[in-house]
Amino acid sequence: MQSCSTSNETGIRTEGPEVVSFSALPFSLTDVKLLEGPFLHATELNVNTLLGYKPDRLLAKFYIEAGMKPKAEHYMGWENEMLAGHSLGHYLSACSMMYQTTGDDRFLERINYIVEELGSLQEADGDGYIGAFTNGKKIFEEEVAKGNIRSQGFDLNGIWSPFYTHHKVLAGLRDAYQLCGNQKALEVEKRFSGWIEGIVTPLNDGQVQNMLRCEYGGISETFADLYADTNDEKYLTLAEIFYQKSFLDSLKAGKDVLPGKHANTNIPKLIALSRIYELAGDVSSRKASEFFWDRVVNHHSYVTGGNCNNEYFGPADKLRNRLGEGTTESCNVYNMLKLSEHLFTWEGSPEVADFYERALFNHILATQNPVNGHVVYNLSLDMGGFKEFQDPEWFTCCIGTGMENHSKYGRNIYYHSDNELYIFQYIASELAWKDKGLKIVQRTDYPGEQGSTLEFTCENPASLAVKVRYPSWAENGIEVLVNGKGKRVRQDPGSFVTIERKWKTGDILEVKLPFSLRLELMPDDSSRVAVMYGPLVLAGDLGPLTDSASKDPMYVPVLMTENRDPSAWLMPVEGKLNTFMTVKTGRPRDVEMKPFYTIYDRRYSVYWDLFNESGWNAREAEYKAELERITKIKEATIDF
Ligand SMILES: [Zn+2]
């Protein structure tokens, strides 16, 4: 395997087969315990959701496909279609992460049970295959392996994105092995990967590229990981087969080919490429991942950190007219955060950490109903729309990624190198850094509190550079205090502030991060704006879901002001956290704005149109006509 060195020669090396060096590495989920706050709450809701599922029901279609009697009725939704099986993969991953997060043996029991069942089914098959969608093995062996390939966006020889499903199952087995030490999971994963190798290896390059026209998820990520777990290079070779040249070569050449492309088909290809870069060292793969990340984050994303309308990327920096109930599929953000994790380990970039915060607080946390734990598919940015929570037993892709999203918060609060500790996110938690004999308790109500306090307990005094994130939104500065004494901060927002000292038990590091109100503008319309408060997207609470006024074209008020500093027209609402009321600005009415993640079962708007009096007088008729046209389209497409 060819590998070339990277510019990052000073970084740290892993003990694994990675050939590149890293700036920072994550901790294990077992090293970080969440403390009271919105993320612990979201995790606890997800514990209930995960324990509510019946493994035998998730396994049912695998039994049917193996010609055996299932032990329970299968689930509905996409589990009743040709994508059957993907949810079991997500479930294995989510339970593996949740086992590490909580230490609750009930998750381990479920993982061990499912792996045993899959192992038995694979044994009965004899060739290594495991699958839940109809005729999968037959179609692959008799058609695809022989080069008889009929493919388009989501269809490979009549099967709905089969490699997408295989990826999820393989990822679940990987996680059961890596996170829960289930050796059998590794064996099942190897045999199944071997079967896939037998299908794709005989194909010539043209046939492979034809096959890859159909969505294939991030399947090469799992083959790359399998190489890392086994040191067997054949899996890295297999990973490199799943490389769609037309798309990935364009990114390597620095071309934004995203417009018109399906997001969740394509983001995982870059996650896979990132992992292959780490194991094979091809710098052009890294560049493609970084280029893609920058395009999505800075040219195709909304203020929440979400991207896409009706699942597809549009033209770069054209978002104004792409607001609706089909905006920002949750899987896209799940995958962008996975990609961000790779990028952060390479460079320790504060821009990546800031995006992570934006998407975590304003998309991921916002996708979960804070009462029953149900999650959304698309997180609607429709002006006057609402969050549509899914039936957890009617499976979709976003139910699957939703199971994982709320199982792994502890993985992205801290990162480290040999002698540096990154405070990546402000989330109440306890870190046990075993190699250093160090425990850190981060106490904060953030974002209810505008700062955080970290308390150190050290077996021995530890020389360490603690890197405190100074968010790009913190335009009023940041204060950093060690044992009550302020440290001079020389950096600008959008950086890490480094505090280097010998840390000892009882040391206290305080970070004060004053929030301020600001507008973020649509790239293609500076008069269509969102209101931010520190890291938080504020949404206007417009009324109940059944609000009869919601059909009124002016249901979403316009904001009538010349002043682009929202602190001039937003007043804090007493007794309500991070909540503001517009003052004589909303027309036809003022509106209460609160953190988007806290809103559920209400109609809201994240974006607002800003006018001054003369502009309104000139455009009122045209604006209302446009709103009426949109309202009519919505009524005509109610079943979208
Ligand atoms: Zn999805």
Side-chain angles (χ1 to χ4, degrees), residues 35-67:
L35 300 177
E36 197 58 40
F39 293 96
L40 178 61
H41 179 66
T43 303
E44 287 171 345
L45 286 172
N46 196 38
V47 164
N48 292 336
T49 301
L50 293 178
L51 292 176
Y53 290 126
K54 303 275 185 288
D56 282 333
R57 294 192 68 186
L58 288 162
L59 283 158
K61 282 267 186 169
F62 288 86
Y63 269 87
I64 294 167
E65 189 49 21

Side-chain angles (χ1 to χ4, degrees), residues 78 164 264 311 329-332 377 396-399 401:
W78 295 1
Y164 175 94
N264 200 40
E311 305 198 0
E329 182 185 349
S330 297
C331 289
N332 302 355
Y377 187 111
T396 65
C397 52
C398 293
I399 295 266
T401 50

Side-chain angles (χ1 to χ4, degrees), residues 372-400:
N372 59 23
H374 295 182
V375 296
V376 302
Y377 187 111
N378 294 314
L379 184 58
S380 170
L381 296 177
D382 189 18
M383 293 167 76
F386 55 91
K387 297 177 185 176
E388 191 171 351
F389 295 102
Q390 303 175 92
D391 172 353
E393 297 200 352
W394 203 96
F395 281 85
T396 65
C397 52
C398 293
I399 295 266

Side-chain angles (χ1 to χ4, degrees), residues 537-558:
V537 170
L538 299 184
D541 184 339
L542 298 175
L545 300 187
T546 53
D547 199 340
S548 58
S550 68
K551 289 191 169 48
D552 181 342
M554 286 299 291
Y555 182 60
V556 181
V558 296

